[in-house]
Amino acid sequence: MSEDSEKEDYSDRTISDEDESDEDMFMKFVSEDFHRCALLTADSFGDPFFPRTTQILLEYQLGRWVPRLREPRDLYGVSSSGPLSPTRWPYHCEVIDEKVQHIDWTPSCPEPVYIPTGLETEPLYPDSKEDTVVYLAEDAYKEPCFVYSRVGGNRTPLKQPVDYRDNTLMFEARFESGNLQKVVKVAEYEYQLTVRPDLFTNKHTQWYYFQVTNMRAGIVYRFTIVNFTKPASLYSRGMRPLFYSEKEAKAHHIGWQRIGDQIKYYRNNPGQDGRHYFSLTWTFQFPHNKDTCYFAHCYPYTYTNLQEYLSGINNDPVRSKFCKIRVLCHTLARNMVYILTITTPLKNSDSRKRKAVILTARVHPGETNSSWIMKGFLDYILGNSSDAQLLRDTFVFKVVPMLNPDGVIVGNYRCSLAGRDLNRNYTSLLKESFPSVWYTRNMVHRLMEKREVILYCDLHGHSRKENIFMYGCDGSDRSKTLYLQQRIFPLMLSKNCPDKFSFSACKFNVQKSKEGTGRVVMWKMGIRNSFTMEATFCGSTLGNKRGTHFSTKDLESMGYHFCDSLLDYCDPDRTKYYRCLKELEEMERHITLEKVFEDSDTPVIHITLDLESSSRGSDSSESIDSLTDLLKLTSQKKHLKTKKERNYTTASHQNAREGQEVYDRGHLLQRHKQSNSDVKDTRPNEPGDYMVDYFRRQLPNQGLV
């Protein structure tokens, strides 16, 4: 049954008089308490009026039998009456029986990035037959393309590369989301590693996640991954690998932590195919003898982690009332792609007035940081805070938390089992090849027929830039106001988490190579606020977190800030909205002024006067013609309302008065409406034109602890 299917109404039908005897027979087996709502399946009757099916139930109401459709069964694989749906692998993939699990832990202090000493070495490893291969995963190349899947993958006995002789490290990556192709021992305590490309491709070597055992404490080991393909990397900017020790977790409750010395990312010798490759090298001393440890590119978040999380929601009597979990589709390997509908249960026909917000994540399986942001969002929106309740009362959230479970399971970095990047195929008509993005696009299309979608956001990870930022779509071919409106939500987000989110790193354009992405396709479908949120694999260069790595809690907090910014964006008091719009105008004006300075020898006073008379200038009653005034305006963002200020009517009025002094909001609103009326735009109206009555209540105060 499709996710948006409607139930047929059979309320005007009754069974024939001939079947009264069936009713009498049935009632002998039910108690008096159950008399008013007894159920039978339609195939219990011989009347040809009813098809022989178990999907129609006969409900005894007010003295007669009323047929209705059976409620959807547990389509989502998280039934409280059974186990989770087992993960399915390509049939040739070898998978160990051991289930890898890690504890959640956040370091007490932010972990600093690595600062190069200038003494880091660049190991180069010429091919040598004398070196010992201690790990080799050959199963990945048995098929040129995906054939079929099995629960648990290859059923033949697993090969063990070496035994526990001497002090050679033992490696393993044949578990969920693991990735390691080959390990060569080049010296007593030095190992050359090769990561596996995405299955059924020969590229996308970025994600690694593997297990190490048989180590000795206090020995300096060197690890070098030799087949990265990106010239630029965050490892060149201080990012450290992640490390996990089972003994540390058990004894001290310490989880994933940033480690490594002598970290260096560099270009090495070309491969046999003439392509240039890049190496990542680091040294490390293990804390315990004979431990079981793991290294990873980013905090792992597996398909099993997601299923366990959804199972917890499904079994929660409170959260399951306003979070409905269904299956959007099945992947090539027949794994389930889940879709969550989050909203307060609808009781009347006014439900269609609720606007929709769409979030998706993990279209690129190696970008695990996106799953941690998604987890933070779900934790908050499903919580018991007043703000979360307000959001559920006002919006319908459609959430696809993992678009590419096949890729996540096998440890791919970017592609699905089709060997293609799903985030370049949202325009594809090949439903069988790219089911998750095809059904997501179809779901959005059907949703837009029912209700207005005010925002779409696809969560990603970024391997070359710090901080968290957004990519939007450029509306410059329309009016200037529309062009700026698409920047308001990211600007609000940057104000709510200034130590993580960088507005200056945001970009708003549509490149030809990105026309198949979810962000661009949804924008062209009519969703004005259509974004990709990019989270760094490293950390922040902003505020108090400058020079530190992001923890899982930092990533999760972005989910909360997303909700907080959504409340700001839709606040019926438009002071903050118009302040941001005014600030964006001044930013653009300042950029234009800088470009004129660079490209012209005209005196500054003439340039300033010319800009003041330009149609691209501000219509504000307040004239701003200097950099000093611009900085003064920017500093006024401190007066934007916080969550606490939403609770107080007096503070709201005070901010409104301050906003009136800085900017003639009425004039701007009039110009905004005129601009929209002059442009034929099929996209939804802005929140100021549709705000529901529910937002008239005071916004509650709920902070993130």
Side-chain angles (χ1 to χ4, degrees), residues 88 90-95 148-158:
R88 302 183 65 91
Y91 83 96
H92 59 274
C93 288
E94 297 178 349
V95 185
Y148 66 93
S149 65
R150 283 176 176 166
V151 174
N154 194 335
R155 299 172 183 172
T156 59
L158 301 182

Side-chain angles (χ1 to χ4, degrees), residues 467-482:
N467 307 312
I468 299 172
F469 52 94
M470 278 181 161
Y471 292 142
C473 298
D474 193 349
S476 58
D477 57 329
R478 291 173 166 79
S479 71
K480 177 183 175 183
T481 305
L482 291 175

Side-chain angles (χ1 to χ4, degrees), residues 347 508 543 668:
K347 298 180 180 179
F508 303 86
L668 178 61

Side-chain angles (χ1 to χ4, degrees), residues 160-175:
Q160 299 297 333
V162 296
D163 56 21
Y164 282 88
R165 63 178 183 270
D166 60 50
N167 293 315
T168 299
L169 293 179
M170 301 291 293
F171 293 81
E172 184 58 83
R174 294 172 295 180
F175 48 80

Side-chain angles (χ1 to χ4, degrees), residues 475-523:
S476 58
D477 57 329
R478 291 173 166 79
S479 71
K480 177 183 175 183
T481 305
L482 291 175
Y483 168 83
L484 294 177
Q485 283 171 357
Q486 298 162 18
R487 291 155 168 77
I488 292 177
F489 183 81
L491 182 59
M492 287 181 170
L493 198 54
S494 71
K495 295 178 183 298
N496 287 331
C497 49
D499 58 349
K500 302 183 188 73
F501 191 94
S502 171
F503 181 76
S504 62
C506 296
K507 294 182 179 180
F508 303 86
N509 52 40
V510 179
Q511 299 173 339
K512 187 172 182 60
S513 62
K514 303 296 179 66
E515 290 181 349
T517 63
R519 163 179 61 96
V520 176
V521 169
M522 302 305 168
W523 179 70

Side-chain angles (χ1 to χ4, degrees), residues 49-243:
F49 176 80
F50 293 103
R52 293 189 62 82
T53 175
T54 60
Q55 299 307 306
I56 296 178
L57 296 178
L58 301 175
E59 185 171 308
Y60 193 76
Q61 294 181 351
L62 301 178
R64 66 176 185 171
W65 291 97
V66 179
R68 64 174 176 84
L69 288 179
R70 182 189 293 273
E71 292 292 334
R73 290 179 293 177
D74 291 326
L75 300 176
Y76 33 82
V78 289
S79 170
S80 58
S81 60
L84 296 175
S85 176
T87 55
R88 302 183 65 91
W89 298 67
Y91 83 96
H92 59 274
C93 288
E94 297 178 349
V95 185
I96 62 175
D97 292 332
E98 177 188 359
K99 301 303 180 185
V100 176
Q101 294 182 328
H102 307 296
I103 65 170
D104 289 334
W105 174 75
T106 303
S108 57
C109 298
E111 298 174 294
V113 299
Y114 177 74
I115 300 176
T117 63
L119 302 176
E120 293 81 9
T121 60
E122 299 181 358
L124 297 176
Y125 303 109
D127 293 335
S128 174
K129 295 182 180 180
E130 298 179 359
D131 295 335
T132 303
V133 176
V134 298
Y135 179 84
L136 180 62
E138 299 177 308
D139 59 294
Y141 301 102
K142 289 183 177 180
E143 296 289 354
C145 62
F146 174 74
V147 180
Y148 66 93
S149 65
R150 283 176 176 166
V151 174
N154 194 335
R155 299 172 183 172
T156 59
L158 301 182
K159 300 182 295 293
Q160 299 297 333
V162 296
D163 56 21
Y164 282 88
R165 63 178 183 270
D166 60 50
N167 293 315
T168 299
L169 293 179
M170 301 291 293
F171 293 81
E172 184 58 83
R174 294 172 295 180
F175 48 80
E176 188 176 356
S177 295
N179 187 311
L180 186 64
Q181 180 65 45
K182 181 180 179 181
V183 180
V184 177
K185 184 177 182 180
V186 295
E188 185 174 5
Y189 302 113
E190 188 168 350
Y191 295 84
Q192 172 190 330
L193 290 71
T194 303
V195 297
R196 175 184 55 75
D198 284 3
L199 281 184
F200 315 122
T201 76
N202 61 355
K203 52 186 178 180
H204 305 304
T205 51
Q206 183 75 31
W207 169 255
Y208 61 89
Y209 175 30
F210 57 88
Q211 180 190 91
V212 181
T213 56
N214 201 42
M215 70 283 295
R216 293 170 57 188
I219 299 295
V220 177
Y221 290 89
R222 177 177 290 276
F223 302 92
T224 305
I225 300 175
V226 298
N227 65 328
F228 288 127
T229 56
K230 292 187 177 183
S233 172
L234 286 168
Y235 289 110
S236 298
R237 304 173 68 89
M239 178 173 159
R240 297 175 184 259
L242 277 164
F243 168 78

Side-chain angles (χ1 to χ4, degrees), residues 203-417:
K203 52 186 178 180
H204 305 304
T205 51
Q206 183 75 31
W207 169 255
Y208 61 89
Y209 175 30
F210 57 88
Q211 180 190 91
V212 181
T213 56
N214 201 42
M215 70 283 295
R216 293 170 57 188
I219 299 295
V220 177
Y221 290 89
R222 177 177 290 276
F223 302 92
T224 305
I225 300 175
V226 298
N227 65 328
F228 288 127
T229 56
K230 292 187 177 183
S233 172
L234 286 168
Y235 289 110
S236 298
R237 304 173 68 89
M239 178 173 159
R240 297 175 184 259
L242 277 164
F243 168 78
Y244 185 95
S245 163
E246 289 192 354
K247 287 189 175 182
E248 285 289 293
K250 185 176 181 179
H252 307 292
H253 202 73
I254 293 177
W256 287 100
Q257 52 188 317
R258 299 285 180 172
I259 54 85
D261 292 308
Q262 300 186 41
I263 301 172
K264 181 79 171 180
Y265 189 87
Y266 58 97
R267 176 175 166 177
N268 60 34
N269 52 307
Q272 294 180 352
D273 56 0
R275 297 170 61 188
H276 289 287
Y277 291 94
F278 299 82
S279 293
L280 168 66
T281 187
W282 73 92
T283 61
F284 179 65
Q285 298 182 50
F286 291 97
H288 303 284
N289 289 320
K290 307 298 181 180
D291 196 1
T292 299
C293 301
Y294 298 85
F295 291 98
H297 178 60
C298 190
Y299 305 100
Y301 193 97
T302 65
Y303 184 58
T304 298
N305 292 147
L306 173 65
Q307 287 190 309
E308 291 173 346
Y309 185 85
L310 297 183
S311 181
I313 295 173
N314 187 64
N315 295 330
D316 188 318
V318 176
R319 292 184 295 171
S320 60
K321 289 182 180 179
F322 46 77
C323 178
K324 300 303 179 182
I325 308 172
R326 295 291 183 266
V327 168
L328 178 68
C329 63
H330 287 81
T331 64
L332 292 181
R334 303 300 298 165
N335 290 300
M336 297 179 181
V337 178
Y338 301 101
I339 181 168
L340 284 60
T341 302
I342 303 170
T343 191
T344 301
L346 310 175
K347 298 180 180 179
N348 51 48
S349 59
D350 292 339
S351 63
R352 289 181 179 265
K353 293 182 180 180
R354 294 188 182 178
K355 315 306 176 184
V357 177
I358 302 169
L359 268 80
T360 61
R362 285 303 276 284
V363 70
H364 294 151
E367 296 171 0
T368 60
N369 38 7
S370 68
S371 279
W372 291 102
I373 295 177
M374 176 63 77
K375 179 180 180 297
F377 167 79
L378 292 175
D379 284 345
Y380 187 77
I381 200 68
L382 298 177
N384 58 6
S385 69
S386 300
D387 280 2
Q389 178 67 52
L390 178 60
L391 287 167
R392 295 194 300 265
D393 290 346
T394 310
F395 298 108
V396 175
F397 293 89
K398 292 285 186 177
V399 181
V400 185
M402 191 172 286
L403 280 162
N404 191 353
D406 287 353
V408 171
I409 290 169
V410 301
N412 279 3
Y413 175 65
R414 197 169 185 86
C415 297
S416 70
L417 292 183

